[in-house]
Every structure is written in C-alpha cells, then in structure tokens.
Amino acid sequence: MKTLRAARKKQKITQRELAEMLSKKLGINVSQQQICNYETDFSIPPLDKLIALEDALNVSLIKEYRALLKRGLRRDMRNRFKNGRKSIRPV
C-alpha cells in the first residue's frame, strides 16, 4: 500500500515503531515484517489492523485496500514468485 508507506514516512515513523503502536492499540503482536508486507502489497492487513493503521497515521487506506482485493493479491504474488517460492541467488 503506497499510501501507507507515504503516510508513515511523512510522520517520520519507522516500520518497527508503527508495529509497536499497533501492538499496544490492538493488544496483539504486530511485527515490523507485517508492516513491510502491507507496504509492499505482499499481504493485505485484516480489517481490524487496517482500521488501526488508519487511526495511527490519520489517513484513509480503504480505497487502496479495495483495489488490492479487486485486483487479486494472489495473482500478483504468482507473478512475483516462481512456483510459489522466492528465488534467492547467492551474491
């Protein structure tokens, strides 16, 4: 979600700080990796986290959320990963 990343950067909050804010707000563990996954459209946040993200960053994410659902996240993931696995080659 490009809007999520832009709003977070505008407020000068790291992914880890945002994850800690959500963890306190929701009372569940939210990791920095989850925030990264949401920002890169690797996964879509559940509605409770989406609402908490909107509140924490004072931004609306619902239009982008709907577009991701419409577009079909699974199709995008298939294009990114061959055979469902990320190809990592040593440097």
Side-chain angles (χ1 to χ4, degrees), residues 65-73 75:
Y65 182 81
R66 285 182 182 165
L68 283 171
L69 291 177
K70 231 180 207 182
R71 188 173 67 201
L73 185 65
R75 184 187 61 196

Side-chain angles (χ1 to χ4, degrees), residues 51-65:
I51 293 166
L53 284 165
E54 289 181 328
D55 289 344
L57 298 172
N58 197 26
V59 67
S60 177
L61 301 170
I62 196 69
K63 285 183 183 178
E64 199 169 349
Y65 182 81

Side-chain angles (χ1 to χ4, degrees), residues 34-46:
Q34 287 175 308
I35 302 299
C36 180
N37 288 343
Y38 301 153
E39 287 182 356
T40 58
D41 296 339
F42 188 74
S43 63
I44 298 175

Side-chain angles (χ1 to χ4, degrees), residues 8-40:
R8 179 183 60 78
K9 289 202 170 239
K10 185 177 179 182
Q11 293 188 19
K12 298 180 181 174
I13 300 172
T14 65
Q15 290 176 341
R16 185 175 307 277
E17 291 169 340
L18 182 57
E20 288 171 3
M21 288 169 56
L22 291 181
S23 292
K24 288 177 186 174
K25 186 172 186 111
L26 296 172
I28 58 173
N29 187 27
V30 179
S31 70
Q32 176 267 331
Q33 186 62 48
Q34 287 175 308
I35 302 299
C36 180
N37 288 343
Y38 301 153
E39 287 182 356
T40 58

